[in-house]
Amino acid sequence: MRTRVGIIGAGPAGLLLSHLLHLAGIESVVLETRDRAYVEARQRAGVVEHGVARLLRHSGLGERMDREGITHDGIELRFDGRSHRVDFSDLCGRSVEIWAQTEIVKDLTARRLADGGQVLFGARATAIEGIETDSPRVRHTLEGREEVLECDYVAACDGFHGIGRRSLPEGVVRTFERLYPFSWLGVLADVPPSCEELVYARHERGFALHSMRSEEVSRLYLQVPNGTDPDDWPEERVWEELAERMAVPGWELRRGPLTSKGLTPMRSLVTEPMSHGRLYLAGDAAHIVPPTGAKGLNLALHDVALLAEGLRARYTHGGTGALENYSAAALRRVWRAEHFSYWMTTLLHTSGDAFDHRLQLSHLEYLASSRAASTQLAENYTGLPHP
Ligand SMILES: Cc1cc2nc3c(=O)[nH]c(=O)nc-3n(C[C@H](O)[C@H](O)[C@H](O)COP(=O)(O)OP(=O)(O)OC[C@H]3O[C@@H](n4cnc5c(N)ncnc54)[C@H](O)[C@@H]3O)c2cc1C
């Protein structure tokens, strides 16, 4: 099998890249190790930055998001039993869309298949070869057979556990990493949200987040120690803890049946460079952020917009400048998002250290009283224009 761009992974990054290349008239093949039902049901992110929402609309993928998603003009911070709203529209003139990653993936998959795109589910990439030549290859298994996909370029959009990052030669690649001593216990509940916008709560017992997937479904998170067993958190305990950590006078948490429960470890990681020879990394394959800043999905989609533009230039007029600049350009946005995600995480999660506790409260009070401080949060959360 031969194609122009071989894409590993049918997550949001791989699927959007394949779609953008199709719009530019460039053929690609997507290899995805899981089946379609699994990929479409995987619960993950839900906040779409202003610029990413525009990208989805411009590429013909905004119709359902605009009809069924929810526009949010701000978030609420809660600490010390009180609440402060960060008004995005007022502070920076932007907003975000609440639109689940599962829905983005469903729309992208349906669109690629309707356009005759090749998305091969059950195809597990096992090796990337020849990246320093003009014809790299992706070895993969499909229906028990060993296959080879030959291409001009390989885009590894295969997430944190994929083979893309490990295929960059040692000596070329450098990894920067920070681990955190806590995780998120995330639950999905069949109950209308108890708030109109996302609530980020800092409490002595730990961080809590109230988010939503729709007018009927709430998504909630609790800071828990690493290694926590979700089975130790029956429904009753989850609701009690959420109510306590998010309490402010006059507010009540609506409760309903939990439909899923899972643990998300927190990690910051950046791989540099994000390309070598004919291999390009995009999304979680290249970088991970703790989810506090809602950046993982957004970074993945920004990466592939840049990569698609580089490939379009290469195939339309032979210019390779944008492709050569891909890693440097993507990394500028990545490091900004890494810093913001780290900052939100350390501001809101408890470490048990009394000095940290005082610093957090001081900074939260500063945010609540300073327009300049709140503007920085609003700008970064809604997504900065491309540097
Ligand atoms: C549990 C969890 C919760 C999250 N919550 C949030 C959140 O609330 N907010 C937020 O902003 N971000 C969140 N994220 C991060 C966000 O979901 C990711 O940043 C986003 O999925 C990145 O998209 P991607 O396409 O780069 O990678 P992925 O979505 O991971 O897609 C990679 C794809 O590659 C496939 N693949 C892997 N290896 C191979 C192989 N060898 N061969 C073929 N296919 C392969 C995988 O099956 C997968 O489908 C969360 C992530 C996780 C894991």
Side-chain angles (χ1 to χ4, degrees):
M1 195 166 30
R2 176 152 193 102
T3 189
R4 281 181 157 178
V5 183
I7 299 174
I8 311 174
L15 289 168
L16 182 64
L17 177 62
S18 181
H19 175 64
L20 294 175
L21 292 177
H22 169 72
L23 295 181
I26 302 165
E27 190 202 49
S28 67
V29 172
V30 182
L31 306 175
E32 167 58 51
T33 186
R34 301 285 190 163
D35 64 34
R36 182 177 176 183
Y38 179 93
V39 172
E40 290 189 345
R42 204 166 29 195
Q43 286 300 327
R44 289 189 171 175
V47 177
V48 178
E49 284 178 2
H50 183 79
V52 170
R54 204 172 43 207
L55 166 68
L56 292 174
R57 288 186 192 108
H58 283 183
S59 49
L61 296 158
E63 197 255 332
R64 216 159 61 83
M65 175 180 74
D66 287 334
R67 198 175 64 239
E68 297 172 25
I70 316 168
T71 302
H72 278 189
D73 292 322
I75 55 167
E76 192 183 325
L77 298 176
R78 289 187 185 174
F79 59 99
D80 229 6
R82 63 193 174 107
S83 147
H84 168 68
R85 179 167 186 262
V86 181
D87 185 332
F88 298 154
S89 318
D90 175 47
L91 293 165
C92 68
R94 295 198 291 269
S95 53
V96 293
E97 300 300 322
I98 305 303
W99 184 234
Q101 178 168 331
T102 43
E103 303 309 307
I104 295 176
V105 166
K106 278 183 208 160
D107 281 356
L108 275 165
T109 307
R111 186 63 181 270
R112 280 313 293 126
L113 297 177
D115 287 341
Q118 289 216 68
V119 184
L120 307 181
F121 290 99
R124 185 170 67 87
T126 52
I128 306 168
E129 297 172 351
I131 61 173
E132 289 172 350
T133 72
D134 290 348
S135 51
R137 297 170 300 282
V138 183
R139 291 195 180 278
H140 58 281
T141 54
L142 181 60
E143 293 166 1
R145 294 186 312 273
E146 301 282 328
E147 304 273 355
V148 179
L149 175 64
E150 295 180 350
C151 32
D152 299 342
Y153 295 94
V154 178
C157 305
D158 51 353
F160 181 62
H161 300 288
I163 63 167
R165 191 172 61 253
R166 285 176 274 132
S167 302
L168 292 176
E170 270 180 44
V172 166
V173 67
R174 200 162 165 209
T175 303
F176 303 83
E177 187 169 22
R178 176 140 310 172
L179 297 170
Y180 301 84
F182 40 75
S183 302
W184 277 13
L185 178 72
V187 298
L188 207 58
D190 268 346
V191 62
S194 310
C195 43
E196 289 188 1
E197 295 172 334
L198 271 68
V199 174
Y200 288 78
R202 189 241 172 254
H203 188 276
E204 282 72 4
R205 295 177 64 87
F207 169 73
L209 169 61
H210 192 322
S211 164
M212 59 285 290
R213 286 292 179 260
S214 69
E215 308 282 3
E216 292 83 34
V217 177
S218 299
R219 179 83 167 134
L220 304 117
Y221 300 92
L222 285 168
Q223 174 189 346
V224 292
N226 284 344
T228 292
D229 181 353
D231 288 343
D232 290 340
W233 284 83
E235 286 204 22
E236 182 68 14
R237 186 177 177 201
V238 170
W239 288 118
E240 288 300 317
E241 194 65 29
L242 285 165
E244 182 159 354
R245 294 189 193 181
M246 286 194 278
V248 284
W251 183 79
E252 204 168 320
L253 179 65
R254 287 193 196 121
R255 303 174 186 211
L258 303 186
T259 55
S260 95
K261 204 165 42 170
L263 202 71
T264 305
M266 311 281 272
R267 178 195 299 270
S268 300
L269 179 141
V270 180
T271 305
E272 290 188 3
M274 284 172 56
S275 65
H276 180 74
R278 296 256 174 153
L279 171 63
Y280 293 80
L281 306 185
D284 280 15
H287 41 72
I288 296 288
V289 284
T292 328
K295 290 287 163 242
L297 167 67
N298 291 296
L299 278 181
L301 300 185
H302 276 293
D303 283 354
V304 295
L306 269 180
L307 184 53
E309 187 47 36
L311 289 163
R312 193 193 61 75
R314 154 72 180 81
Y315 282 109
T316 47
H317 52 78
T320 55
L323 269 185
E324 283 158 16
N325 196 38
Y326 165 74
S327 174
L331 283 167
R332 277 198 292 278
R333 177 177 286 279
V334 168
W335 276 112
R336 177 88 302 279
E338 288 286 349
H339 175 262
F340 178 66
S341 305
Y342 165 82
W343 176 77
M344 284 281 278
T345 302
T346 48
L347 177 69
L348 295 165
H349 290 72
T350 44
S351 66
D353 181 279
F355 190 80
D356 287 349
H357 172 70
R358 291 287 189 283
L359 290 181
Q360 288 175 323
L361 285 183
S362 167
H363 204 110
L364 284 161
E365 275 166 19
Y366 177 47
L367 275 168
S369 61
S370 159
R371 189 176 170 88
S374 287
T375 302
Q376 287 187 26
L377 194 163
E379 281 185 348
N380 281 276
Y381 195 94
T382 56
L384 291 161
H386 211 286

